[in-house]
């Protein structure tokens, strides 16, 4: 069954922070969105989230047919997915729950509709294991919040068809996301693993008394973090190599970098002491700013960066050869 039909209606299964953010984004891109969640007060919370996110989405730019009025809600999972061209699942990260949920969605959704999961901790191979049409199941894992951060990781499972992967990547690209294709299933996907690798060293340096919590955040956000908001590490090291670029870096600078690897921390868990140190340090760094205020501060800066990056992308478009899905 072809999986390349036009997408007009999207079902959101699970309307917590991630599901709500996806819903807001899809509405802003001009789709009809039907959402479902059995939680108490789910519809009211979802509509409030969409209202809150709409101002940010307006800054980024709304599609001509964008409207919050195109959102509908139902408690009936079957009703939600049976009319959907694309399903974005955002349920709890429990293996038994996800397997049953995917089977239920698969049984009710049109056979030519892709089922994408926002899961960050489970593989598609596990979630699709009880589906009759597992070939259309993929991971479409966003970075939080999805309506602001463009990255989405697309991963197929053992029974996922190459067509489903290609179609998911094409769809996400069409709405302004920056999809990457993971050729293999790995725990935590890619972006969270990169975060975890950096944070392990941050925790190690704090534990060793090299610096405090606030200075560790400053070291990242006002140093390499600024550059990473513009280019990835490989392209930045291409620049670090001077006129000869990445070749010079690999010939002359990769050795020192590799020597630092040997001295990196090898901790594998948070000790009670370092947990408390980070808690106290983070609260001191936050000061009297609430979670909501910090979120607003984060998103205001991100929106400014995204506007600049979008402007730069239009001026200097990147041509990328797309590897064949497998």
């Amino acid at each position: 069954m072809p999986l390349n039909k036009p997408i007009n209606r999207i079902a959101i299964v699970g309307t917590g922070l991630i599901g709500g953010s996806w819903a807001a984004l899809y509405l802003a891109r001009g789709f009809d969105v039907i959402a479902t969640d059995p939680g108490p007060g789910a519809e009211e919370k979802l509509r409030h989230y969409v209202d809150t996110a709409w101002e940010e989405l307006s800054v980024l730019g709304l599609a001509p047919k964008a409207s919050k009025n195109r959102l509908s809600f139902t408690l009936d999972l079957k009703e939600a997915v049976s009319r959907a061209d694309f399903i974005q699942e955002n349920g709890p990260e429990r293996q038994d729950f996800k397997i049953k949920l995917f089977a239920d969605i698969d049984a009710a959704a049109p056979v030519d509709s892709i089922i994408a999961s926002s899961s960050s901790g489970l593989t598609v191979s596990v979630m699709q294991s009880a589906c009759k049409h597992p070939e259309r199941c993929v991971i479409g894992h966003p970075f939080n919040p999805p309506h602001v951060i463009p990255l989405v990781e697309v991963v197929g499972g053992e029974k996922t068809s190459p067509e489903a992967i290609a179609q998911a990547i094409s769809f996400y690209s069409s709405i302004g996301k920056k999809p990457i294709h993971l050729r293999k299933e790995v725990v935590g996907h890619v972006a969270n693993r990169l975060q975890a690798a950096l944070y392990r060293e941050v925790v190690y340096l704090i534990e060793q008394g090299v610096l405090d919590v606030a200075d560790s955040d400053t070291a990242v956000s006002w140093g390499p973090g600024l550059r990473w908001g513009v280019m990835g590490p490989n392209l930045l090291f291409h620049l670090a190599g001077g006129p000869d670029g990445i070749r010079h870096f690999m010939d002359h600078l990769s050795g020192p970098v590799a020597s630092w690897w040997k001295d990196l921390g090898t901790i594998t868990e948070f000790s009670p002491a370092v947990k408390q140190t980070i808690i106290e340090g983070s609260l001191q760094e936050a000061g009297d700013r609430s979670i909501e205020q910090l979120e607003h501060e984060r998103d205001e800066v991100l929106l400014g960066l995204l506007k600049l990056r979008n402007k730069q992308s239009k001026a200097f478009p990147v041509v990328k050869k797309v590897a064949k899905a497998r």
Side-chain angles (χ1 to χ4, degrees), residues 65-95:
K65 295 183 179 180
S67 174
K68 292 183 288 184
N69 294 329
R70 300 183 74 168
L71 172 64
S72 59
F73 186 92
T74 177
L75 291 174
D76 188 335
L77 173 68
K78 181 177 180 180
E79 179 187 356
V81 303
S82 64
R83 295 185 287 148
D85 302 313
F86 188 94
I87 297 102
Q88 189 79 45
E89 178 274 326
N90 317 276
E93 293 282 288
R94 300 197 311 271
Q95 180 170 313

Side-chain angles (χ1 to χ4, degrees), residues 91-207:
E93 293 282 288
R94 300 197 311 271
Q95 180 170 313
D96 56 344
F97 180 88
K98 287 277 197 184
I99 291 173
K100 184 180 185 305
L101 179 59
F102 257 66
D104 290 342
I105 294 173
D106 179 63
V111 295
D112 56 350
S113 295
I114 289 176
I115 305 171
S117 175
S118 299
S119 176
S120 61
L122 296 173
T123 65
V124 191
S125 294
V126 168
M127 292 185 288
Q128 69 185 182
S129 58
C131 293
K132 292 182 179 180
H133 299 284
E135 68 280 355
R136 38 73 170 274
C137 299
V138 301
I139 288 284
H141 175 247
F143 224 51
N144 190 39
H147 72 276
V148 175
I149 303 294
L151 178 68
V152 58
E153 300 172 309
V154 179
V155 195
E158 295 174 359
K159 300 177 181 179
T160 303
S161 73
E163 183 184 11
I165 296 172
Q167 178 64 7
I169 290 173
S170 176
F171 169 65
Y172 286 129
S173 297
S174 74
I175 61 170
K177 301 295 281 183
K178 295 293 183 181
I180 59 172
H181 176 205
L182 278 58
R183 273 67 172 179
K184 295 181 179 180
E185 293 180 300
V186 290
V187 176
H189 313 315
V190 168
N192 279 332
R193 290 173 71 98
L194 295 175
Q195 278 196 138
L198 174 63
Y199 196 51
R200 180 173 70 174
E201 186 62 16
V202 167
V203 173
Y204 173 76
L205 293 172
I206 292 171
E207 186 176 57

